[in-house]
Amino acid sequence: MMIETRRSLSSSKGDRLSGVRWWREIGWRHIIGVIVIGYAIFPVVFVISASLNATGSLVGSSRLFSSFSLINFQALNETQFWSWIGNSLWIGAVTSVGSVLMGAAAAYAFSRFRFSGRRAGLMTLLIVQMFPQLLTFVAIFLLLTALGDLHPLLGLNSRIALIMVYLGGALGMNTFLMYGFFNTVPKELDEAAKVDGASHLQIFFVIILRLVAPILAVVGLLGFIGTFSDYLLAGIILTDESKWTVAVGLFQFVSEQNSARWGLFAAGAVITAIPVVVLFLVLQRYIVSGLTAGAVKG
């Protein structure tokens, strides 16, 4: 009897110790995770609640889901919101594809070829990226104004010009990000392909791009999100309302204090988030490997 009692006491003591150990090693992380998730998801819930509030005011939407109405979503059809969405999707898609191709080609050259100024070029790309593109909007405006006199497609109020500005701003960072990933691909593959008679172009498109798919997905995703949500450069370059991106168009709903339409803004923000979320879910399996694999070999 006494032996069984001692066993039960030791067992309960071991359970308490294991519980304390679990809390020290794992349990506290769950609490922090719940707090972080709540902190991150509250703005999303608030915007969804505001989009479903018929009053259309930010103050009237302070109580979450106090009313349920689709009037704000229906009112978007009376604006050029869907044209703005189309412009943003087109500009974002072209920019992401272009940034992937340009960055991959530059990274392949820096990774595989040895030429004069190679290291200096990499350092220059890194140093240039220390200065945000925001600092250059005055120079970009003056440059596009001058180019517009030569050809309208290269000047202000041109979506092609905006895409070119985005591509130029993203080239340096994308090249440096892809460069580390390209270095993880064994060069013996290139040599074996050359023995079989493959050219550099065939090696690049047929072999290398397939092996570096994770970093291509990451760069494409970051490029799409960055251009899709950009307001400053798009607001400076695109002056015609029909050519606005969704970020510029939504800002017009709340730009005037006395006539701000927060309900329309919230409804538009909810719809605008859908393409980004869908793209993120499709490419999420590439994100971790794409961001970490290139860090082990530079």
Side-chain angles (χ1 to χ4, degrees):
M1 189 70 174
M2 294 179 62
I3 295 175
E4 293 180 356
T5 304
R6 290 177 180 176
R7 287 179 178 177
S8 62
L9 290 176
S10 61
S11 176
S12 61
K13 184 178 180 180
D15 293 340
R16 288 196 300 270
L17 290 176
S18 62
V20 172
R21 183 178 180 182
W22 177 87
W23 174 256
R24 289 178 178 177
E25 296 181 358
I26 301 177
W28 63 272
R29 301 180 183 180
H30 291 277
I31 302 299
I32 295 178
V34 170
I35 295 175
V36 171
I37 292 174
Y39 181 80
I41 204 173
F42 177 76
V44 179
V45 175
F46 185 84
V47 170
I48 296 176
S49 175
S51 67
L52 298 174
N53 195 302
T55 60
S57 63
L58 193 62
V59 177
S61 303
S62 58
R63 294 182 57 186
L64 296 179
F65 302 102
S66 58
S67 64
F68 185 87
S69 175
L70 298 178
I71 188 172
N72 292 321
F73 292 92
Q74 296 171 355
L76 289 175
N77 296 325
E78 301 175 2
T79 67
Q80 298 192 45
F81 173 77
W82 299 110
S83 296
W84 302 336
I85 284 285
N87 293 335
S88 295
L89 290 175
W90 185 77
I91 293 173
V94 174
T95 301
S96 61
V97 173
S99 61
V100 166
L101 293 178
M102 293 174 60
Y108 177 75
F110 280 112
S111 176
R112 290 300 193 263
F113 302 135
R114 297 296 180 265
F115 51 89
S116 178
R118 171 178 168 273
R119 185 173 297 275
L122 284 173
M123 292 303 299
T124 301
L125 289 176
L126 182 61
I127 294 174
V128 168
Q129 296 308 306
M130 295 181 182
F131 302 94
Q133 199 174 21
L134 179 66
L135 300 177
T136 62
F137 70 91
V138 175
I140 291 174
F141 178 82
L142 296 176
L143 177 62
L144 294 182
T145 301
L147 290 176
D149 297 335
L150 301 176
H151 200 290
L153 287 177
L154 302 177
L156 295 175
N157 200 30
S158 171
R159 288 169 290 189
I160 300 297
L162 180 61
I163 292 174
M164 294 176 63
V165 171
Y166 285 147
L167 291 177
L171 180 60
M173 179 58 68
N174 292 341
T175 301
F176 204 81
L177 184 63
M178 290 183 178
Y179 169 74
F181 201 101
F182 273 64
N183 285 341
T184 63
V185 179
K187 296 183 180 180
E188 289 75 12
L189 294 176
D190 300 30
E191 297 173 357
K194 291 178 182 178
V195 171
D196 293 336
S199 64
H200 287 294
L201 194 63
Q202 291 173 327
I203 295 173
F204 176 71
F205 283 103
V206 178
I207 299 176
I208 301 298
L209 289 188
R210 295 183 180 181
L211 297 177
V212 298
I215 194 62
L216 300 182
V218 170
V219 170
L221 177 63
L222 296 179
F224 181 84
I225 293 176
T227 56
F228 194 81
S229 59
D230 177 67
Y231 167 76
L232 182 61
L233 290 176
I236 293 173
I237 296 175
L238 302 177
T239 58
D240 190 356
E241 184 177 358
S242 62
K243 295 183 179 180
W244 284 349
T245 60
V246 68
V248 179
L250 288 180
F251 177 75
Q252 307 307 315
F253 292 152
V254 295
S255 58
E256 298 182 8
Q257 182 176 0
N258 296 328
S259 60
R261 294 178 288 179
W262 288 103
L264 285 178
F265 179 86
V270 172
I271 297 177
T272 301
I274 294 176
V276 178
V277 173
V278 171
L279 184 62
F280 181 84
L281 293 176
V282 172
L283 300 178
Q284 66 175 342
R285 64 192 182 98
Y286 295 107
I287 292 176
V288 175
S289 60
L291 290 176
T292 58
V296 299
K297 184 177 181 181

